[in-house]
Amino acid sequence: MFSFGRQPIYTDYEYIDKTNITTVLTNAINVHQSNQSDIEYLYKYYKGNQPILQRQKEIRPEINNKIVENRAYEIVSFKVGYLMGQPIQYVKRSADYDDTAITELNDEMYLENKAVKDKKLVWWSTICGTSYRMALPNPNENDEEAPFNLYTLDPRNTFVVYWTGLGNKPVMSCTVINKNDGTVEYYCYTEDAFYLIVNNEIVAAEPHLLGYNPITEYPANFARLGAFEIVLDMLDAINLVSSNRIDGIEQFVQALMVFIGAD
Protein backbone atom coordinates (compact mmCIF):
# COMPACT_ATOMS: atom_id res chain seq x y z
CA MET A 1 0.00 0.00 0.00
CA PHE A 2 1.62 3.26 -1.15
CA SER A 3 0.17 6.39 0.41
CA PHE A 4 1.22 9.90 -0.54
CA GLY A 5 -1.22 12.21 1.25
CA ARG A 6 -4.85 13.01 0.59
CA GLN A 7 -5.85 14.66 -2.67
CA PRO A 8 -7.76 17.98 -2.49
CA ILE A 9 -11.07 18.11 -4.37
CA TYR A 10 -11.61 20.94 -6.86
CA THR A 11 -14.37 22.17 -9.14
CA ASP A 12 -14.52 24.78 -11.89
CA TYR A 13 -17.85 26.11 -10.58
CA GLU A 14 -17.48 29.21 -8.42
CA TYR A 15 -21.12 29.09 -7.35
CA ILE A 16 -23.04 25.86 -6.73
CA ASP A 17 -26.82 25.56 -6.87
CA LYS A 18 -29.50 23.10 -8.00
CA THR A 19 -28.34 23.24 -11.61
CA ASN A 20 -24.85 21.88 -11.04
CA ILE A 21 -24.61 20.35 -7.57
CA THR A 22 -25.15 16.75 -8.73
CA THR A 23 -22.39 17.14 -11.33
CA VAL A 24 -19.99 18.56 -8.76
CA LEU A 25 -20.90 15.83 -6.28
CA THR A 26 -20.36 13.03 -8.81
CA ASN A 27 -16.90 14.31 -9.70
CA ALA A 28 -16.02 14.88 -6.05
CA ILE A 29 -17.02 11.38 -4.97
CA ASN A 30 -14.45 9.82 -7.30
CA VAL A 31 -11.62 11.68 -5.55
CA HIS A 32 -13.17 11.23 -2.11
CA GLN A 33 -13.38 7.46 -2.49
CA SER A 34 -9.66 7.32 -3.27
CA ASN A 35 -8.94 9.40 -0.16
CA GLN A 36 -11.38 7.30 1.83
CA SER A 37 -9.49 4.11 0.92
CA ASP A 38 -6.20 5.65 2.11
CA ILE A 39 -7.77 6.94 5.33
CA GLU A 40 -9.30 3.55 6.11
CA TYR A 41 -5.92 1.87 5.58
CA LEU A 42 -4.12 4.35 7.85
CA TYR A 43 -6.81 4.08 10.52
CA LYS A 44 -6.55 0.27 10.56
CA TYR A 45 -2.76 0.54 10.60
CA TYR A 46 -2.97 2.83 13.64
CA LYS A 47 -5.16 0.25 15.41
CA GLY A 48 -2.61 -2.53 14.75
CA ASN A 49 -3.98 -4.14 11.59
CA GLN A 50 -0.65 -4.03 9.75
CA PRO A 51 0.73 -5.97 6.72
CA ILE A 52 2.89 -8.27 8.89
CA LEU A 53 -0.30 -10.05 9.98
CA GLN A 54 -0.73 -11.33 6.40
CA ARG A 55 2.88 -12.59 6.25
CA GLN A 56 3.51 -15.81 4.30
CA LYS A 57 6.57 -18.01 5.03
CA GLU A 58 7.72 -20.62 2.50
CA ILE A 59 10.51 -22.30 4.51
CA ARG A 60 9.27 -23.95 7.71
CA PRO A 61 5.87 -22.27 7.41
CA GLU A 62 4.80 -23.75 10.75
CA ILE A 63 7.16 -21.27 12.43
CA ASN A 64 5.68 -17.97 11.32
CA ASN A 65 5.57 -15.38 14.09
CA LYS A 66 3.73 -12.16 13.29
CA ILE A 67 4.89 -9.44 15.65
CA VAL A 68 3.30 -5.97 15.47
CA GLU A 69 5.35 -3.23 17.12
CA ASN A 70 2.69 -0.56 16.85
CA ARG A 71 4.92 2.51 16.52
CA ALA A 72 2.13 4.22 14.55
CA TYR A 73 0.01 4.32 17.70
CA GLU A 74 2.99 5.63 19.62
CA ILE A 75 3.63 8.42 17.09
CA VAL A 76 0.00 9.54 17.06
CA SER A 77 -0.27 9.47 20.86
CA PHE A 78 2.88 11.57 21.21
CA LYS A 79 1.80 14.14 18.61
CA VAL A 80 -1.70 14.53 20.02
CA GLY A 81 -0.40 14.79 23.57
CA TYR A 82 2.23 17.35 22.54
CA LEU A 83 -0.18 19.54 20.58
CA MET A 84 -3.26 19.20 22.78
CA GLY A 85 -1.80 18.72 26.25
CA GLN A 86 -3.59 21.91 27.31
CA PRO A 87 -6.98 23.17 26.05
CA ILE A 88 -6.88 25.89 23.40
CA GLN A 89 -8.00 29.29 24.68
CA TYR A 90 -8.53 32.62 22.96
CA VAL A 91 -6.60 35.78 23.85
CA LYS A 92 -6.73 39.38 22.62
CA ARG A 93 -4.10 40.85 20.33
CA SER A 94 -5.04 44.49 20.89
CA ALA A 95 -3.96 46.73 23.76
CA ASP A 96 -7.56 47.17 24.89
CA TYR A 97 -7.84 45.73 28.40
CA ASP A 98 -11.54 45.03 28.15
CA ASP A 99 -11.52 41.25 27.64
CA THR A 100 -15.16 40.62 28.52
CA ALA A 101 -16.03 39.28 25.06
CA ILE A 102 -12.98 36.98 25.00
CA THR A 103 -13.84 35.61 28.43
CA GLU A 104 -17.41 34.99 27.33
CA LEU A 105 -16.20 33.19 24.20
CA ASN A 106 -13.89 30.93 26.25
CA ASP A 107 -16.76 30.16 28.62
CA GLU A 108 -18.99 29.18 25.70
CA MET A 109 -16.25 26.95 24.30
CA TYR A 110 -15.96 25.30 27.71
CA LEU A 111 -19.72 24.65 27.77
CA GLU A 112 -19.44 23.08 24.33
CA ASN A 113 -16.59 20.83 25.57
CA LYS A 114 -14.39 22.15 22.77
CA ALA A 115 -11.16 20.84 24.34
CA VAL A 116 -12.23 17.21 23.80
CA LYS A 117 -13.43 17.94 20.29
CA ASP A 118 -10.16 19.73 19.47
CA LYS A 119 -8.25 16.67 20.63
CA LYS A 120 -10.32 14.41 18.40
CA LEU A 121 -9.79 16.84 15.51
CA VAL A 122 -6.00 16.67 15.91
CA TRP A 123 -6.20 12.89 16.44
CA TRP A 124 -7.84 12.38 13.03
CA SER A 125 -5.51 14.89 11.39
CA THR A 126 -2.44 13.11 12.78
CA ILE A 127 -3.62 9.71 11.58
CA CYS A 128 -4.78 10.53 8.07
CA GLY A 129 -3.51 14.05 7.31
CA THR A 130 -6.80 15.94 7.50
CA SER A 131 -9.87 16.43 9.68
CA TYR A 132 -13.23 18.18 9.58
CA ARG A 133 -15.38 20.22 11.94
CA MET A 134 -18.99 21.33 11.62
CA ALA A 135 -20.35 24.39 13.43
CA LEU A 136 -24.10 24.96 13.65
CA PRO A 137 -26.35 27.21 15.76
CA ASN A 138 -27.80 25.60 18.87
CA PRO A 139 -31.60 25.62 18.52
CA ASN A 140 -32.07 24.78 22.23
CA GLU A 141 -29.79 27.40 23.77
CA ASN A 142 -30.08 27.99 27.50
CA ASP A 143 -27.88 29.29 30.32
CA GLU A 144 -26.07 25.95 30.59
CA GLU A 145 -25.35 25.54 26.87
CA ALA A 146 -23.37 27.41 24.24
CA PRO A 147 -25.26 29.19 21.43
CA PHE A 148 -23.60 26.87 18.91
CA ASN A 149 -22.86 23.17 18.44
CA LEU A 150 -19.49 21.81 17.31
CA TYR A 151 -19.08 18.41 15.68
CA THR A 152 -15.88 16.58 14.75
CA LEU A 153 -16.75 14.61 11.63
CA ASP A 154 -15.29 11.32 10.40
CA PRO A 155 -12.93 12.13 7.49
CA ARG A 156 -13.83 8.82 5.86
CA ASN A 157 -17.32 10.22 5.28
CA THR A 158 -16.64 13.94 4.84
CA PHE A 159 -15.03 16.19 2.24
CA VAL A 160 -14.83 19.81 1.12
CA VAL A 161 -14.83 20.96 -2.50
CA TYR A 162 -12.69 23.98 -3.46
CA TRP A 163 -12.91 26.33 -6.40
CA THR A 164 -10.09 26.07 -8.95
CA GLY A 165 -9.94 29.87 -9.23
CA LEU A 166 -7.72 32.31 -7.38
CA GLY A 167 -7.73 31.65 -3.64
CA ASN A 168 -9.27 28.16 -3.89
CA LYS A 169 -12.18 29.18 -1.69
CA PRO A 170 -14.42 26.34 -0.40
CA VAL A 171 -17.65 26.25 -2.39
CA MET A 172 -19.28 23.07 -1.09
CA SER A 173 -18.92 20.59 1.75
CA CYS A 174 -20.49 17.20 2.21
CA THR A 175 -20.92 14.57 4.88
CA VAL A 176 -22.07 11.08 3.92
CA ILE A 177 -24.61 9.11 5.97
CA ASN A 178 -24.79 5.34 5.45
CA LYS A 179 -28.19 4.05 6.53
CA ASN A 180 -28.77 0.57 7.93
CA ASP A 181 -30.93 -0.31 4.93
CA GLY A 182 -28.01 0.35 2.56
CA THR A 183 -29.16 3.81 1.48
CA VAL A 184 -26.41 6.40 1.10
CA GLU A 185 -27.39 10.01 1.79
CA TYR A 186 -25.22 13.01 0.90
CA TYR A 187 -25.73 16.09 3.07
CA CYS A 188 -24.28 18.94 1.02
CA TYR A 189 -23.79 22.53 2.18
CA THR A 190 -22.94 25.75 0.38
CA GLU A 191 -22.71 29.27 1.80
CA ASP A 192 -26.45 29.80 1.46
CA ALA A 193 -28.18 26.44 1.01
CA PHE A 194 -28.46 22.83 2.14
CA TYR A 195 -29.10 19.88 -0.23
CA LEU A 196 -29.95 16.27 0.53
CA ILE A 197 -28.98 14.03 -2.39
CA VAL A 198 -29.85 10.33 -2.72
CA ASN A 199 -29.10 8.24 -5.82
CA ASN A 200 -27.84 11.35 -7.61
CA GLU A 201 -31.20 13.09 -7.13
CA ILE A 202 -31.96 16.15 -5.01
CA VAL A 203 -34.41 14.98 -2.34
CA ALA A 204 -34.43 18.23 -0.34
CA ALA A 205 -33.14 21.75 -0.93
CA GLU A 206 -33.41 24.46 1.70
CA PRO A 207 -31.79 27.89 2.08
CA HIS A 208 -29.99 28.69 5.31
CA LEU A 209 -29.03 32.00 6.90
CA LEU A 210 -25.62 31.01 8.26
CA GLY A 211 -23.73 32.99 5.64
CA TYR A 212 -20.89 30.47 5.67
CA ASN A 213 -20.14 26.86 4.85
CA PRO A 214 -20.65 25.00 8.16
CA ILE A 215 -17.99 22.31 7.49
CA THR A 216 -14.34 23.34 7.70
CA GLU A 217 -11.33 21.22 6.76
CA TYR A 218 -8.21 21.22 8.95
CA PRO A 219 -5.30 19.75 6.95
CA ALA A 220 -2.31 18.59 8.98
CA ASN A 221 0.02 20.07 6.35
CA PHE A 222 -0.03 21.19 2.72
CA ALA A 223 0.36 17.60 1.45
CA ARG A 224 -2.30 16.28 3.88
CA LEU A 225 0.11 13.60 5.12
CA GLY A 226 -0.46 11.72 8.36
CA ALA A 227 2.21 11.76 11.08
CA PHE A 228 3.40 8.18 10.50
CA GLU A 229 2.55 7.98 6.82
CA ILE A 230 6.03 8.99 5.65
CA VAL A 231 7.67 6.14 7.61
CA LEU A 232 5.28 3.29 6.73
CA ASP A 233 8.05 1.31 5.01
CA MET A 234 10.27 1.66 8.07
CA LEU A 235 7.48 0.57 10.41
CA ASP A 236 6.82 -2.49 8.23
CA ALA A 237 10.54 -3.29 8.32
CA ILE A 238 10.58 -3.08 12.14
CA ASN A 239 7.71 -5.57 12.29
CA LEU A 240 9.51 -7.90 9.89
CA VAL A 241 12.80 -7.77 11.81
CA SER A 242 11.03 -8.48 15.11
CA SER A 243 9.10 -11.38 13.59
CA ASN A 244 12.24 -12.87 12.00
CA ARG A 245 14.12 -12.53 15.29
CA ILE A 246 11.48 -14.59 17.13
CA ASP A 247 11.42 -17.09 14.23
CA GLY A 248 15.18 -17.49 14.48
CA ILE A 249 15.07 -18.16 18.23
CA GLU A 250 12.23 -20.65 17.86
CA GLN A 251 13.91 -22.43 14.96
CA PHE A 252 17.20 -22.69 16.89
CA VAL A 253 15.45 -24.12 19.96
CA GLN A 254 13.68 -26.72 17.80
CA ALA A 255 16.75 -27.59 15.70
CA LEU A 256 18.13 -31.17 15.73
CA MET A 257 21.92 -31.26 15.87
CA VAL A 258 23.54 -34.45 14.40
CA PHE A 259 27.24 -35.35 14.89
CA ILE A 260 28.68 -37.72 12.28
CA GLY A 261 31.92 -39.71 12.94
CA ALA A 262 32.01 -38.81 16.62
CA ASP A 263 31.75 -41.01 19.71
Side-chain angles (χ1 to χ4, degrees):
M1 174 72 181
F2 294 95
S3 192
F4 305 101
R6 314 290 76 74
Q7 183 179 353
I9 303 175
Y10 294 105
T11 181
D12 292 334
Y13 294 101
E14 183 178 5
Y15 181 77
I16 296 178
D17 54 19
K18 289 183 178 180
T19 62
N20 56 17
I21 189 169
T22 55
T23 301
V24 173
L25 179 62
T26 300
N27 295 331
I29 288 174
N30 294 329
V31 182
H32 169 67
Q33 288 178 342
S34 176
N35 291 336
Q36 182 186 46
S37 177
D38 289 345
I39 294 172
E40 184 67 28
Y41 177 82
L42 293 169
Y43 179 57
K44 289 181 178 179
Y45 198 102
Y46 160 81
K47 294 197 299 180
N49 186 358
Q50 300 179 11
I52 192 67
L53 298 178
Q54 285 75 47
R55 179 191 186 203
Q56 300 293 327
K57 193 163 177 283
E58 296 181 0
I59 300 175
R60 297 201 69 178
E62 72 278 6
I63 300 178
N64 185 13
N65 291 280
K66 303 172 182 179
I67 307 300
V68 175
E69 291 192 24
N70 200 345
R71 302 296 179 89
Y73 183 93
E74 180 182 352
I75 292 171
V76 171
S77 298
F78 172 80
K79 293 282 288 185
V80 174
Y82 179 78
L83 294 172
M84 305 303 298
Q86 296 292 331
I88 295 176
Q89 295 190 6
Y90 297 96
V91 296
K92 292 188 67 175
R93 297 178 57 191
S94 66
D96 182 7
Y97 291 100
D98 184 8
D99 57 357
T100 304
I102 294 295
T103 302
E104 183 180 352
L105 178 60
N106 282 322
D107 290 341
E108 291 173 349
M109 293 300 180
Y110 176 80
L111 292 175
E112 187 56 22
N113 201 18
K114 182 175 178 289
V116 175
K117 297 174 182 180
D118 284 343
K119 189 172 183 179
K120 186 176 181 181
L121 196 74
V122 173
W123 179 77
W124 270 120
S125 184
T126 306
I127 292 175
C128 63
T130 193
S131 55
Y132 300 89
R133 165 172 287 163
M134 173 181 277
L136 293 174
N138 184 359
N140 302 315
E141 180 187 356
N142 54 53
D143 294 338
E144 297 181 356
E145 294 184 3
F148 52 84
N149 291 323
L150 300 177
Y151 305 93
T152 302
L153 304 178
D154 191 330
R156 293 171 295 180
N157 300 321
T158 311
F159 58 88
V160 173
V161 181
Y162 299 91
W163 181 44
T164 53
L166 187 63
N168 300 130
K169 68 175 182 179
V171 292
M172 188 188 80
S173 60
C174 178
T175 183
V176 185
I177 306 297
N178 296 286
K179 297 290 187 178
N180 292 329
D181 59 2
T183 304
V184 180
E185 297 181 347
Y186 296 90
Y187 289 73
C188 301
Y189 297 87
T190 64
E191 291 185 352
D192 54 13
F194 159 76
Y195 302 91
L196 173 60
I197 300 177
V198 180
N199 295 325
N200 209 32
E201 294 184 0
I202 300 176
V203 176
E206 301 175 357
H208 64 70
L209 302 177
L210 297 177
Y212 63 90
N213 197 318
I215 299 178
T216 303
E217 182 177 10
Y218 292 82
N221 44 65
F222 293 116
R224 290 173 170 80
L225 281 164
F228 61 86
E229 191 171 349
I230 57 176
V231 292
L232 281 176
D233 291 341
M234 186 180 297
L235 301 184
D236 290 338
I238 291 173
N239 290 339
L240 183 60
V241 169
S242 298
S243 300
N244 285 336
R245 182 182 292 117
I246 302 301
D247 285 349
I249 295 173
E250 189 173 347
Q251 288 171 171
F252 180 80
V253 171
Q254 297 182 7
L256 176 64
M257 187 173 296
V258 179
F259 294 91
I260 300 177
D263 293 336

